[in-house]
Amino acid sequence: APALWHRCTDALLACVCPGLLATHPYARWRGDPEGLERELAPSGEAEHIRAQASYVGVVCGCVKKCVSDGLLCPGFDEDLFFQAWLCMLTRKFSSPKGSAFVPGVDFFNHTGSPGAEGDWDEGRDAVVVRATRAHAAGEEVCICYGELSNPLLLRTYG
């Protein structure tokens, strides 16, 4: 099992998430806050994004201060932490025990008309995804992330 986690982490940090560093609103705020504010005006969404991106920086600072260098990965810096935070933010599921990272299930995309639903199965102590209708071969199977506002979807998933 640990090898699976290492492969998933390596894949996310190397392949999936680098695009988040350019497109996610938190990352965009770090690079061009005035541009993002202009783009989102007149809404107050830029202020929420600023606050969340700043919070990630504070948490990173706490990790750097409180965790010994020997426990952190080589090359640990704010960019790597930020990238890992975005990967976690966009890929975690809620469980009765807190947040859970579920390899494979985290790649389902969102739609308001899902063809599957996923939820925590207490008996299995796992996330279980079940199709809610038949799918054609090659058709994308999507789930619904919940009834979230467009601003919240933007802020969370980019």
Side-chain angles (χ1 to χ4, degrees), residues 11 17 28 36 47 58 66 89 96-97 101 103 157:
C17 292
R28 291 177 57 210
L36 187 60
E47 178 56 28
V58 168
C66 298
L89 178 69
K97 298 174 184 175
F101 179 69
Y157 303 104

Side-chain angles (χ1 to χ4, degrees), residues 6-147:
H6 286 289
R7 280 192 287 255
C8 285
T9 302
D10 290 346
L12 285 172
L13 291 176
C15 300
V16 177
C17 292
L20 285 175
L21 290 179
T23 61
H24 194 280
Y26 296 0
R28 291 177 57 210
W29 179 84
R30 289 177 71 209
D32 182 15
E34 293 83 15
L36 187 60
E37 284 182 31
R38 282 191 305 276
E39 184 179 322
L40 295 174
S43 81
E45 200 54 33
E47 178 56 28
H48 293 290
I49 291 168
R50 182 208 58 75
Q52 289 298 311
S54 296
Y55 175 72
V56 175
V58 168
V59 173
C60 180
C62 290
V63 168
K64 288 170 140 177
K65 179 180 176 184
C66 298
V67 178
S68 71
D69 289 341
L71 293 176
L72 297 174
C73 68
F76 179 85
D77 62 11
E78 190 168 318
D79 285 341
L80 181 63
F81 183 83
F82 196 75
Q83 184 176 4
W85 182 281
L86 291 179
C87 287
M88 186 265 322
L89 178 69
T90 61
R91 303 202 167 301
K92 70 178 178 67
F93 288 82
S94 295
S95 80
K97 298 174 184 175
S99 295
F101 179 69
V102 186
V105 177
D106 62 313
F107 287 104
F108 281 96
N109 282 321
H110 165 80
T111 183
S113 305
E117 55 187 31
D119 206 354
W120 190 260
D121 183 315
E122 296 215 19
R124 294 181 183 182
D125 200 30
V127 171
V128 175
V129 177
R130 292 181 179 88
T132 56
R133 62 172 178 81
H135 290 79
E139 178 184 359
E140 181 178 20
V141 179
C142 294
I143 61 175
C144 180
Y145 297 168
E147 293 190 26

